[in-house]
Amino acid sequence: MFVTNPLFARVSDALAGRGRGVVAGAVALSALVGTSAAAFGEPETPTSDTSITAGATQAITAGQSPYRFVAYTPAEAQGPQGETPVSAPIAWEDHREAVALALPELPPLPVIAPPPPPPRPQTVRPVNGRLTSYYGARWGESHNGIDFGDPIGAPVFAVTDGTVIETGPASGFGLWVRIQQDDGTIGVFGHVNEILVETGQHVNAGDVIATVGNRGQSTGPHLHYEVHVQDGSLYGAPIDPHPWLAARGVDAGVAQD
C-alpha cells in the first residue's frame, strides 16, 4: 500500500509553486523589455516634406538637421574680407547732438587785482631791546636822550625816513650817526659799534643804519638815542624822545634800570 509522506508532499508543492513563479517572472520581464525597446528606440527620421523656413530664399530640406540656422548679414556688410564700408564724413555742425550741446560764449572773467601791500611804517623803535634809561638829569649831569639795552651787533634802525647828515667818531659817544628826520628834527644814534650808512644817503624808516656797541663813555652795550629840534645852533636843542615817539604811535616802553 502506497503511503504519501506529508513532509515530502509539502516540499513538492513548494517547489512546484516556485517554478511557476519563475515562469511568471520571465514572462513579465519579457513584456517589460519589449515595452522599453518600443519606448527608447531610434528617433524617427523626418519625412521628405519636413522643412523649417529660415528666410524668404532658403529652406531646410529632408535629410538635414532641423536645427540649422544661418545668421542674417546686412547687404552693406557683404563685401570682401578685411574691407570696411566707407561712408561719407558728417560735419560736426550736422550732428543734432553737437548742435544741442553747443554752449553759449561766457563773458570773460573780471581781472582781480592783487591787494595793495600794507603801508610802510612811518616811525619805528630804534632797536628791539628794552628801554633802560629816561631823558633828564642823571648822576648830576644832563642826560639828553633815552637808552635801550641790546647785545653788541644788534641792528639799529632809522626811526623815520630821512637823510644821513653825519657819521663817525664823536666825543663821549665813541661813534655816532646823525640823521635829519622827516619832520625836520635830527636823530642822534650814539655808542654804535659799526656804521652801515654814508653821509648824504637817504634812508627809510626801518632801514638798518648801524649796530649796537659799547664805545665811548658807556657802562654796557646799549644804544643812546636823542631828538634835537633845530634852533639855529650847530646841533640843535635836545627834547625828550619818549613823548615824541609816543606822539608818532611808537611805545618806547618803561625803563628798567
Side-chain angles (χ1 to χ4, degrees), residues 132-208:
T132 58
S133 182
Y134 290 112
Y135 172 90
R138 188 180 62 178
W139 303 333
E141 296 183 0
S142 178
H143 187 244
N144 293 332
I146 55 178
D147 294 340
F148 297 89
D150 230 0
I152 293 178
V156 175
F157 308 109
V159 174
T160 70
D161 296 354
T163 302
V164 180
I165 59 176
E166 186 179 357
T167 64
S171 176
F173 291 122
L175 294 176
W176 72 359
V177 176
R178 296 174 66 233
I179 295 177
Q180 185 169 7
Q181 302 176 135
D182 60 0
D183 63 349
T185 60
I186 298 174
V188 177
F189 304 80
H191 305 297
V192 299
N193 188 63
E194 184 181 7
I195 298 172
L196 303 177
V197 291
E198 298 177 352
T199 301
Q201 180 178 337
H202 176 79
V203 293
N204 293 323
D207 288 350
V208 179

